[in-house]
Amino acid sequence: MDTGSSIALLLRSDDTPSPDDCNLSEILEFFGIPWMALTVSEANEGNVASLMASHQQFSVLTSASCLAKALRPCKAGTFPAWLAAATSVFVYGFQAADRGRALLRQITGDPDAEIDGIEARPTTVFVTDAFPDMCGPMSALRIQLEPGAADAALVIRDDGELQSILGAPEGHLFVGFANAGVRFFADASLAMVDICERAATYFDVKKRFAGAVPVVMYLKWSFRAVCWTTSETNACLIIDDPPLWPRYGCLDFGELLRLADKQTFATTVAFIPWNWRRTNRDTVAAFRRNSGKLSVCVHGCDHTRGEFSARSADLLDRRLKTARRRMKSLLNETALDHENVMVFPQGAFSPEAASALKRNGFFAAVNTEVAPADDASNETTLADLWSVAIVRYGGFSIYTRRYIHHGIENFAFDGILGKPCFVAGHHDIFRDHGSELAEFLQQLASLRWKLCWRTLGDAVCRSYGIRPDDGTITVKMFAEQLRIENGEAMARRIRVVKEEPQVVSLKNVTVNQEVVAHEYMDGCLRVIVDIPPGRTADIRCVYHEQPDAFPDSEAVSYRLGVAARRYLSELRDNYGHLFRFGV
């Protein structure tokens, strides 16, 4: 098996690069794929000779219109030498006009090939099970797309050599074939997605399939030897709100543990610090005994509406320090430690909250909402949603999570992108003894990926990007703590890089609690780490913290309101069939 292409040739017109050219180049940059632009004139003048002479593997990415121009000098049934030398050719943007139809017929050899527009109607996508190296966890899925999610289909005669990768009743959305020794991959998408566009909500392949899923599949497969990748997909079930009682609403911790034993998954409770005094001794003991399956992280402070969408640094610091004091009290009273990961109440956060978490000792946040709340400026882009974590705000990592109703196809696409698999829920996810959850966990287990269930803190620390780079492995760090193992028989040198816009707040970098040298270049921290065989490196960024001197000065009326909210919420969750509080 070949190891994939090492460089992308982006074929474009002789004029100014088109919006799709720019969008595709941004996607290449996002995945860390080396690329160079090649105009149609340069290609036809033989300016690819030096690349071919170097024996460097390359693949060509092009719109149908550009490829049509490049093939004009060719005789029927032949292709230029530079195209034949490519490992593969990715073509998109087949317009349903004479020129697009003519190109499709030329490269497929099917004189009756057609292009069917399907933008205005829903359709069903069938992902092949015969190409797992490309389709990965999406293999064999059947996906119901909403109108507009796919815009065209290619209708091509199957002569036995055609490989339908993404099929639909209307035709092929993504298909592979060979002609005259050239291996083509034809994407029916009319345009490439702009990953720099602002995003106010999570990415949904049922709504944004064309220009996204086919090209991601292709790039991650064709350039697997050089692009950012992951060695495993870390997973965790995150349950918001429940106190540490034997039973809360539909959640029975004994039943949860039995299900975890049966289906092998890990759960982290997003624990409200206000509840630290209100724990059950036996339940806490069960958490301690099952530390690899059960853990708690921090879920706000008082869990009031929008408490971390505040813009005041002082107010955020006070709330975080109160939360940390309460979690420390929980540790002192019960010997149950917590993970320094924040799950925002109601998903609401401000850009300032990310910086406050960093300077208050948290190493990541996990959230369902992807954009700041209220009047805060939204800087989140599609690229942020495709990344392992959003680092847009203060360089602090906000990992995204999904609910079951987002659909297995979105979890699978996240897996192709290299994102962790974080499943969100409340107590009602265990309705009917967790039957819906158990079914969904079985679906996750059936996907073609290396799924590793861990408690949330461990999963976050082990979720990173990795790629070879000049003989050294480069690791892209996201959370403020990175845990990486060396399972090889010899020492392993890695170069750790981490985006850090607030380097002045950095105190030091440690490896296994020892301070190490680091450098700062182009907005990134860089650290060289040697890991002995069979050992684990625990790498942490330590920041200057604000003095712990904020008094707990909330008014009595506020405290009473918080208590009332919590008790009413518990009545709603435990006796919802009798009470209907809009809390």
Side-chain angles (χ1 to χ4, degrees):
M1 178 185 294
D2 64 85
T3 57
S5 301
S6 57
I7 190 169
L9 279 187
L10 181 54
L11 182 67
R12 64 174 182 82
S13 66
D14 297 332
D15 303 322
T16 304
S18 70
D20 283 320
D21 290 333
C22 297
N23 292 343
L24 190 49
S25 65
E26 289 288 349
I27 296 173
L28 291 169
E29 292 286 347
F30 171 80
F31 286 118
I33 297 169
W35 66 278
M36 60 180 290
L38 183 74
T39 67
V40 171
S41 294
E42 289 171 337
N44 287 336
E45 291 167 2
N47 289 0
V48 199
S50 60
L51 185 67
M52 295 168 56
S54 70
H55 302 290
Q56 187 174 24
Q57 288 185 308
F58 66 95
S59 286
V60 176
L61 292 90
T62 177
S63 66
S65 61
C66 284
L67 185 59
K69 293 176 184 177
L71 296 184
R72 282 177 187 170
C74 298
K75 295 180 180 179
T78 65
F79 298 109
W82 62 268
L83 197 69
T87 303
S88 62
V89 181
F90 175 87
V91 194
Y92 70 95
F94 293 89
Q95 300 291 333
D98 290 343
R99 187 175 299 175
R101 186 182 302 111
L103 175 72
L104 183 62
R105 293 175 177 180
Q106 181 180 3
I107 64 175
T108 61
D110 178 6
D112 300 316
E114 290 289 344
I115 302 160
D116 184 10
I118 58 175
E119 183 175 10
R121 59 186 188 266
T123 191
T124 303
V125 176
F126 305 92
V127 186
T128 183
D129 191 35
F131 204 166
D133 287 347
M134 180 178 284
C135 300
M138 296 189 82
S139 298
L141 289 184
R142 178 173 177 168
I143 307 169
Q144 300 291 332
L145 299 187
E146 297 183 11
D151 43 28
L154 307 177
V155 183
I156 310 168
R157 181 186 67 241
D158 188 356
D159 59 0
E161 299 296 326
L162 207 67
Q163 184 172 32
S164 182
I165 301 168
L166 300 172
E170 296 84 353
H172 307 286
L173 302 189
F174 189 37
V175 59
F177 52 87
N179 188 0
V182 180
R183 189 177 190 184
F184 290 96
F185 289 92
D187 176 7
S189 305
L190 298 182
M192 292 289 103
V193 69
D194 178 8
I195 63 171
C196 295
E197 74 177 57
R198 294 289 187 266
T201 187
Y202 62 90
F203 187 82
D204 188 350
V205 299
K206 298 188 294 296
K207 298 178 180 178
R208 302 287 300 272
F209 195 88
V213 176
V215 69
V216 168
M217 283 183 170
Y218 174 79
L219 292 178
K220 293 286 283 185
W221 169 79
S222 182
F223 300 96
R224 57 197 175 277
V226 294
C227 71
W228 290 110
T229 186
T230 53
S231 58
E232 61 189 20
T233 300
N234 291 288
C236 182
L237 170 65
I238 307 165
I239 308 174
D240 291 355
D241 302 345
L244 302 183
W245 301 341
R247 189 180 186 94
Y248 181 78
C250 301
L251 171 61
D252 181 307
F253 278 109
E255 195 169 67
L256 166 62
L257 279 171
R258 288 191 291 274
L259 183 60
D261 286 336
K262 184 178 180 180
Q263 296 202 206
T264 314
F265 65 93
T267 304
T268 292
V269 167
F271 179 81
I272 303 171
W274 187 87
N275 283 324
W276 75 268
R277 290 189 180 91
R278 308 168 67 235
T279 60
N280 174 270
R281 181 178 60 186
D282 293 337
T283 303
V284 169
F287 270 72
R288 292 199 305 266
R289 287 195 306 271
N290 296 275
S291 59
K293 298 178 183 177
L294 288 174
S295 72
V296 297
C297 69
V298 185
H299 191 32
C301 180
D302 295 316
H303 200 284
T304 57
R305 188 172 300 278
E307 65 182 348
F308 283 99
S309 62
R311 310 298 300 273
S312 166
D314 287 345
L315 178 57
L316 290 165
D317 281 329
R318 184 165 68 247
R319 287 174 177 168
L320 287 171
K321 291 187 183 305
T322 299
R324 291 194 67 183
R325 284 199 298 270
R326 289 170 175 172
M327 298 306 289
K328 186 175 181 179
S329 297
L330 175 68
L331 172 62
N332 293 337
E333 289 288 326
T334 67
L336 178 63
D337 207 351
H338 68 282
E339 297 176 307
N340 278 331
V341 178
M342 170 65 73
V343 175
F344 295 113
Q346 294 94 36
F349 71 97
S350 66
E352 291 80 4
S355 297
L357 287 167
K358 177 183 286 191
R359 64 175 174 263
N360 279 278
F362 288 81
F363 58 81
V366 178
N367 213 41
T368 310
E369 299 299 323
V370 303
D374 302 331
D375 60 346
S377 175
N378 177 25
E379 300 294 330
T380 306
T381 66
L382 287 184
D384 294 321
L385 304 188
W386 285 11
S387 180
V388 172
I390 300 169
V391 293
R392 177 72 54 182
Y393 305 102
F396 186 79
S397 289
I398 302 174
Y399 291 76
T400 56
R401 60 180 189 167
R402 294 185 182 274
Y403 291 105
I404 288 177
H405 66 76
H406 285 191
I408 192 69
E409 59 278 344
N410 277 307
F411 285 88
F413 184 62
D414 285 349
I416 292 178
L417 290 170
K419 295 172 65 68
C421 174
F422 292 151
V423 184
H426 292 80
H427 72 95
D428 56 1
I429 201 173
F430 291 93
R431 187 184 292 113
D432 297 328
H433 304 287
S435 58
E436 181 186 16
L437 173 63
E439 181 181 350
F440 187 74
L441 293 174
Q442 289 175 350
Q443 288 182 321
L444 290 177
S446 70
L447 300 182
R448 294 192 174 183
W449 57 2
K450 183 181 179 182
L451 195 64
C452 299
W453 287 94
R454 309 181 192 276
T455 58
L456 187 58
D458 196 27
V460 161
C461 292
R462 295 177 183 273
S463 295
Y464 49 82
I466 187 169
R467 72 175 183 186
D469 190 4
D470 297 329
T472 299
I473 295 173
T474 298
V475 175
K476 184 185 291 187
M477 180 177 180
F478 289 89
E480 309 304 337
Q481 180 178 354
L482 168 68
R483 192 170 296 132
I484 184 168
E485 297 173 346
N486 178 12
E488 299 177 3
M490 60 178 60
R492 185 182 187 187
R493 169 162 287 191
I494 62 172
R495 178 189 296 112
V496 178
V497 297
K498 180 181 182 298
E499 290 185 33
E500 183 49 77
Q502 299 179 354
V503 68
V504 293
S505 64
L506 183 70
K507 184 178 180 181
N508 55 51
V509 178
T510 66
V511 176
N512 295 333
Q513 300 183 334
E514 297 288 334
V515 175
V516 297
H518 66 273
E519 61 178 358
Y520 185 72
M521 295 175 56
D522 302 323
C524 287
L525 287 176
R526 299 173 187 267
V527 182
I528 299 296
V529 180
D530 291 311
I531 311 176
R535 302 290 295 275
T536 298
D538 188 293
I539 304 157
R540 303 191 185 199
C541 293
V542 183
Y543 298 88
H544 296 286
E545 295 192 24
Q546 294 292 326
D548 195 1
F550 293 97
D552 192 356
S553 58
E554 305 294 357
V556 173
S557 59
Y558 171 83
R559 297 180 188 180
L560 291 175
V562 170
R565 181 182 179 85
R566 294 271 49 80
Y567 290 129
L568 288 174
S569 295
E570 290 162 11
L571 281 172
R572 175 201 62 196
D573 292 342
N574 285 308
Y575 307 99
H577 60 292
L578 299 176
F579 300 94
R580 289 294 181 268
F581 295 105
V583 181

